Amino acid sequence: MKNIFIIISLTFSNLFVAQKLSDSYNYIYAAEVFLKNKQYNKALLCFEKSFENKLTDNPDFLLDAAFCAFELGEDKKASVLLEKSILFYRTPLEYLKTHDKLKKYISNKNYLRVIKDYENLYAKSFSNIHNIQNYFEIEELKTHDQFVRNLDQYHSGSKNQQYLDFKENVTDKTDSINAARLIEISKSLGYQKNSWLILWHHRLSFKQNDPFWNFFKPLLEKEIAVGNVEPSFFTPFEDVVTSVFDKKQKYGTQKPYQFYPIEDINKIDFYRSQVGLPPLYYEYFIYGETLPENYTLTYKEFEQKIMEKIKM
């Protein structure tokens, strides 16, 4: 009886954490809509509610929240949000200086204080990393990954077939070595978020009987179930594979849509909602993507779908 109680308690605990991550993204989507409409007060409120639930994996949301705070004259709050983007994401200094929305505040004294303290904040950020030795090992794997994919920068000779074959072979070998080591690390530590790039470079075998994905799919499904990874994690992997091999995509993560057609335009928003993504209209409204033909959702309907997921 005691064991059953423990299992039930753990199950509800996991569901609660997973729901917090979903709620966090729902508030982010609402915040971005409010921000686009220049309703900075409501946008900042939604950003803050999102961050209270759980930080997402995208530092841009902290920067957008900082912009809202600056627009509202809450400069100190803005500087705290900028600091968090460095402490939790190690946002590059140059990106902070040239951020499209924030650059109008580059001379603000609170902004300048964060920029001046960047190196100190960046150094402190590593104290937020668990298993830092393995973190740096994965960063080294990513360095190898990028080196072989940028061999052209180091090769001054002819890019003949012999060179191209060599490049393909060394890339495949590097991917194989990286995959084996990443599996060993993940067996003991679980999924490491800084390893996403390595997973992405195995995307074309995502739907195959591949030992790499036979290991990582169940691992990531467990991470999704307990709220450590967003429910939409697999969608770009699935979409890129079906776009390449079936010439269509299910979730609309690959753009532009005229080159990557949608599998079922009538069900696209339902499929996206099942994995915590906003309606496809969001891609148009926030990022300016051209929507596919026959997509009929109106702005009013879109706004209603976004706002019904949050509590103001």
Side-chain angles (χ1 to χ4, degrees):
M1 186 71 179
K2 182 179 179 181
N3 289 338
I4 294 174
F5 177 76
I6 292 172
I7 291 170
I8 293 173
S9 297
L10 288 172
T11 300
F12 276 105
S13 176
N14 290 342
L15 288 172
F16 176 73
V17 175
Q19 185 60 48
K20 285 187 72 174
L21 182 59
S22 295
D23 288 344
S24 183
Y25 274 101
N26 288 335
Y27 278 107
I28 286 292
Y29 300 142
E32 291 293 336
V33 171
F34 284 130
L35 172 56
K36 190 74 173 181
N37 288 326
K38 298 184 179 180
Q39 295 176 277
Y40 302 120
N41 206 353
K42 290 182 178 180
L44 183 57
L45 177 62
C46 285
F47 279 126
E48 290 176 329
K49 283 181 175 289
S50 172
F51 304 151
E52 285 173 7
N53 282 312
K54 195 165 187 176
L55 283 175
T56 68
D57 292 330
N58 191 336
D60 278 330
F61 299 137
L62 278 168
L63 301 184
D64 282 350
F67 170 75
C68 291
F70 275 128
E71 288 288 296
L72 295 167
E74 298 187 47
D75 294 4
K76 289 185 178 179
K77 181 178 287 188
S79 67
V80 169
L81 291 163
L82 291 174
E83 288 173 351
K84 285 184 176 180
S85 78
I86 303 166
L87 289 169
F88 292 100
Y89 299 102
R90 288 170 291 286
T91 304
L93 177 60
E94 191 61 26
Y95 188 60
L96 285 175
K97 289 180 176 179
T98 59
H99 188 271
D100 187 51
K101 296 185 185 81
L102 287 168
K103 59 187 179 184
K104 67 182 284 189
Y105 291 106
I106 193 64
S107 60
N108 180 284
K109 66 177 183 179
N110 288 281
Y111 201 139
L112 289 172
R113 180 181 57 77
V114 174
I115 297 298
K116 185 177 180 180
D117 198 32
Y118 181 84
E119 288 190 14
N120 179 47
L121 292 166
Y122 188 86
K124 285 182 179 179
S125 72
F126 292 99
S127 66
N128 294 317
I129 299 173
H130 299 293
N131 303 302
I132 194 163
Q133 182 176 346
N134 292 108
Y135 170 87
F136 280 119
E137 184 175 0
I138 291 171
E139 289 299 300
E140 186 176 359
L141 297 182
K142 287 160 63 179
T143 299
H144 298 163
D145 173 288
Q146 290 300 285
F147 176 76
V148 297
R149 284 176 166 77
N150 291 282
L151 276 177
D152 291 356
Q153 297 181 17
Y154 307 96
H155 178 74
S156 58
S158 172
K159 293 178 176 59
N160 54 28
Q161 192 60 46
Q162 183 179 5
Y163 166 74
L164 295 175
D165 289 343
F166 165 76
K167 181 180 177 181
E168 181 178 358
N169 289 336
V170 74
T171 301
D172 289 345
K173 182 66 174 176
T174 300
D175 285 348
S176 179
I177 293 171
N178 281 355
R181 181 55 189 145
L182 185 60
I183 287 173
E184 288 303 310
I185 293 172
S186 303
K187 280 179 179 178
S188 59
L189 298 177
Y191 171 62
Q192 303 298 294
K193 291 189 176 184
N194 66 320
S195 68
W196 186 89
L197 181 68
I198 297 174
L199 270 66
W200 184 243
H201 286 153
H202 287 267
R203 61 192 179 277
L204 293 182
S205 63
F206 177 71
K207 302 191 82 170
Q208 299 173 10
N209 185 22
D210 180 353
F212 182 82
W213 286 110
N214 289 344
F215 172 80
F216 275 106
K217 278 184 180 179
L219 176 68
L220 284 159
E221 285 167 356
K222 290 179 182 177
E223 296 283 357
I224 290 170
V226 299
N228 290 334
V229 173
E230 64 274 15
S232 62
F233 183 91
F234 289 126
T235 57
F237 294 90
E238 183 170 339
D239 275 356
V240 77
V241 170
T242 56
S243 292
V244 169
F245 296 108
D246 301 327
K247 308 303 178 186
K248 55 187 177 181
Q249 58 172 324
K250 183 175 182 178
Y251 297 102
T253 62
Q254 306 303 299
K255 298 113 178 174
Y257 299 124
Q258 59 264 39
F259 296 141
Y260 303 102
I262 302 298
E263 176 183 290
D264 190 336
I265 198 64
N266 295 316
K267 292 184 178 179
I268 179 68
D269 286 341
F270 170 74
Y271 293 145
R272 287 171 65 90
S273 69
Q274 293 296 102
V275 292
L277 291 174
L280 195 68
Y281 195 97
Y282 184 89
E283 304 296 329
Y284 158 73
F285 186 71
I286 301 300
Y287 302 116
E289 293 291 340
T290 301
L291 289 169
E293 292 183 8
N294 302 322
Y295 182 77
T296 60
L297 193 74
T298 66
Y299 174 77
K300 187 176 181 180
E301 292 169 330
F302 159 73
E303 186 180 46
Q304 181 179 352
K305 286 179 179 291
I306 292 292
M307 299 309 163
E308 67 187 11
K309 296 286 183 71
I310 65 168
K311 295 178 181 179
M312 292 294 289

